[in-house]
Every structure is written in C-alpha cells, then in structure tokens.
C-alpha cells in the first residue's frame, strides 16, 4: 500500500451506538459485476474503507470478491448492502439477507438497508407499505441479533416511513441513505434524522454527473481551486452526511478524496439554495424522477 492516504479517508462519523463509519465511501451503482472486484481493490489501495452495494445493483458477488481479495482483514472495511425494494415480506427478507451474504462470500455485513419504502414500480406512489416494511425490518433486526449484520438502516425513507419503524420496530434505524446533492438538499429530513441519531448517507452526491453543467456551482468550485465533483462531495460531508460517490475509475477515486479545503458558511448557504431537477438521460430512474 504505497499510496499516501488522503486525510478525509481517515475521518469517520459515528452511528448511534458509536460504531465508526468512514465519511467518504465508494458507491458501486452501475459498476458491472465482472468489474466490481477490481474497482473495490483499487479503492482500498487508495485508502477507501467504506464500500456500498445493493441487491439491485447486480454486483454483490463482485464487490464481495473485492473485499475478500483486497489484502485487508474483513473488519478493516465497512461494507453495506441493501435489501431489494420489492421485498416486503418477513420470510422473503430472511432468505434474501442470507442470499446476499452467500453471494458476497462474507460472514457478516457492517450495514444492511431496506432500499426503498416502496417497490420501485410504485416509488412515492399511493400504496401503503408500512406493514411490509415492518416485516422486512423484523428480518433485519433478527439478522442483527444473529450477528449477520452489525447495523441496520433504510434508504429513500421519508419521515412517515421512519416513524413507522421507530414506533413499531424494536431497533431504531441507524442510517437513512438518501439522494442528497447540491441542487437537491433535503434539509428538513436531514435535520429530523440527525436529531434522532440516524446517520444520513448521501448517494449520487454529484447528481449522477448532471451537476457538472451547472455554471453557478462551477464558479464556486473555481474560487476554491477545486473541481465541481470535489466541491459537491465536500458539501455533503459538511452537511454531516456520509458521501458515496460512484466510480470505477481509480483516478476519479483519488480526485474525489482530495478534499482538504473547507467550504465557507456563506458558500454552504448559497449551495443549499440551488434547485436542480434535470438529470437528463437518468431521469427515467425512480430516484431521479422528481417524486
């Protein structure tokens, strides 16, 4: 491991129980299964210690291989996956969690999330999935008690969805992973979660690349002599969230971790005010649909 590790890669937030979670992680959405192991090994070599995947990404096998062959002890890397959004049944969730561990070749995960409160084909729709989410949550609670997963949480959950688990579940969610980036800052949800010791993780902190065209953001980045992605990743970290930029490119991994600057309060306020809704070709994905 000959590389000098960037400072941010050694910094952590904490879960409610004190478990450290690296502030900067690697997202693996859109990394093909046969490329995932190589991407994970490259990230670990650079100094990343937080790797995020999901059943829906179709690359758990490759991510698991990367973790097992990266040269570090298992407990030196924080590994997360997500239960498919369509799983709203206890028994199905139990077998699904076991299938993830088997696919990844790991004896435990550090974090497992419910990927969405609704199945993707009804994302933010009219259906009520409270019972199904509780059933899946019960399976996650059991997996946690059995040591299969160290912490459990959710993704894309809004306040109502979280209240359902907080009121009716036994273990409070440790994490809510949400779409958060310059142009889409869910301030109220972030504050609500942080008041309840629910760590927010920000996926697509560079707006799936669409933010690169935003002139106002580029002007602020230029003032700090950093790239737009660097500014955007630093922004979500300064919001108190874990940043999970996705890339399979080692150069981008390095660049994304060059964050030894601080955005001023004035510029943070300006970045918070930006509203941005056009994800171009990616608008077809439920999470970018504006719902």
């Amino acid at each position: 491991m000959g590389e000098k590790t960037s400072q941010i890669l050694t910094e952590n937030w904490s879960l409610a129980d004190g478990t450290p979670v690296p502030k900067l992680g690697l997202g693996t959405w859109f990394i093909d299964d046969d490329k995932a192991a190589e991407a994970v090994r490259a990230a670990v070599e650079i100094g990343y210690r937080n790797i995020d995947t999901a059943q829906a990404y179709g690359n758990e096998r490759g991510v698991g291989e990367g973790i097992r062959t990266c040269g570090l002890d298992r407990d030196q890397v924080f590994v997360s996956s997500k239960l498919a959004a369509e799983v709203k049944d206890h028994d199905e969730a139990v077998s699904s969690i076991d299938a993830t561990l088997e696919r990844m070749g790991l004896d435990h995960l550090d974090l497992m999330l419910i990927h969405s409160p609704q199945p993707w084909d009804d994302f933010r729709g009219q259906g009520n999935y409270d019972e199904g989410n509780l059933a899946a949550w019960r399976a996650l609670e059991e997996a946690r008690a059995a040591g299969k997963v160290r912490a459990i949480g959710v993704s894309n959950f809004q306040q109502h969805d979280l209240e359902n688990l907080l009121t009716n579940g036994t273990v409070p969610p440790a994490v809510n992973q949400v779409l958060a980036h310059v142009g889409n800052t869910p301030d109220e949800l972030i504050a609500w979660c942080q008041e309840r010791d629910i760590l927010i993780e920000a996926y697509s902190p560079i707006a799936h690349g669409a933010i690169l065209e935003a002139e106002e953001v580029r002007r602020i980045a230029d003032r700090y002599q950093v790239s737009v992605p660097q500014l955007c990743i630093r922004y979500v970290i300064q919001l108190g969230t874990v940043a999970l930029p996705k890339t399979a490119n080692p150069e981008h991994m390095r660049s994304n971790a060059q964050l030894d600057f601080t955005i001023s309060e004035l510029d943070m306020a300006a970045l918070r005010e930006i509203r941005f809704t056009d994800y171009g070709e990616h608008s077809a994905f439920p999470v970018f649909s504006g719902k």
Side-chain angles (χ1 to χ4, degrees):
M1 306 260 171
E3 294 199 39
K4 181 177 180 293
T5 299
S6 175
Q7 175 67 31
I8 196 69
L9 291 169
T10 65
E11 295 179 9
N12 302 308
W13 297 120
S14 292
L15 299 181
D17 68 359
T19 300
V21 183
K23 291 181 180 180
L24 179 62
L26 179 76
T28 62
W29 189 22
F30 277 104
I31 300 179
D32 291 341
D33 192 51
D34 61 350
K35 307 277 195 314
E38 190 180 344
V40 168
R41 286 191 294 264
V44 167
E45 179 81 17
I46 289 162
Y48 284 76
R49 296 293 181 266
N50 181 351
I51 309 291
D52 178 82
T53 184
Q55 293 176 353
Y57 300 171
N59 62 12
E60 286 181 316
R61 188 212 60 79
V63 169
E65 180 191 330
I67 299 296
R68 295 193 317 272
T69 60
C70 71
L72 293 181
D73 290 343
R74 169 66 190 87
D75 287 340
Q76 289 181 270
V77 187
F78 190 91
V79 184
S80 308
S81 193
K82 307 178 197 75
L83 193 60
E86 294 71 26
V87 176
K88 302 297 178 203
D89 170 85
H90 171 267
D91 292 353
E92 189 182 354
V94 169
S95 58
S96 204
I97 294 162
D98 288 343
T100 280
L101 289 168
E102 191 172 332
R103 260 193 307 275
M104 298 187 77
L106 302 176
D107 64 2
H108 73 276
L109 290 180
D110 298 284
L111 177 65
M112 186 122 191
L113 312 175
I114 297 176
H115 206 155
S116 165
Q118 304 87 19
W120 293 123
D121 63 6
D122 193 30
F123 187 64
R124 306 287 186 245
Q126 298 305 306
N128 185 315
Y129 300 95
D130 287 357
E131 284 303 314
N133 285 321
L134 274 174
W137 189 247
R138 204 164 73 249
L140 283 170
E141 289 179 334
E142 291 163 4
R144 178 179 174 271
K148 295 176 183 179
V149 296
R150 298 274 170 85
I152 55 177
V154 295
S155 182
N156 296 300
F157 272 47
Q158 295 176 314
Q159 187 174 322
H160 162 83
D161 308 307
L162 288 159
E163 284 173 337
N164 175 40
L165 300 186
L166 287 167
T167 303
N168 301 304
T170 305
V171 178
V175 163
N176 188 16
Q177 187 180 120
V178 301
L179 178 66
H181 57 76
V182 172
N184 181 75
T185 308
D187 282 307
E188 283 184 26
L189 181 62
I190 290 173
W192 191 90
C193 287
Q194 289 174 340
E195 284 164 13
R196 287 156 182 81
D197 280 336
I198 299 171
L199 181 65
I200 293 279
E201 296 187 334
Y203 69 78
S204 297
I206 311 166
H208 217 61
I211 201 78
L212 300 176
E213 308 305 318
E215 193 52 47
E216 193 178 351
V217 181
R218 185 171 297 283
R219 277 202 303 274
I220 294 175
D222 287 347
R223 279 215 305 280
Y224 289 91
Q225 298 182 299
V226 298
S227 69
V228 168
Q230 287 166 337
L231 181 80
C232 290
I233 294 166
R234 182 77 216 177
Y235 169 77
V236 295
I237 289 174
Q238 284 186 218
L239 291 176
T241 78
V242 171
L244 294 170
K246 169 260 142 185
T247 181
N249 182 324
E251 287 311 309
H252 291 171
M253 293 175 195
R254 282 189 191 88
S255 164
N256 288 346
Q258 301 304 316
L259 303 178
D260 57 345
F261 64 99
T262 301
I263 303 170
S264 72
E265 284 186 30
L266 204 62
D267 285 331
M268 283 295 290
L271 290 167
R272 258 186 155 112
E273 289 304 310
I274 294 172
R275 293 292 173 267
F276 172 88
T277 53
D278 182 8
Y279 296 93
E281 63 179 316
H282 303 296
S283 297
F285 288 99
V287 294
F288 297 135
S289 63
K291 291 181 181 176

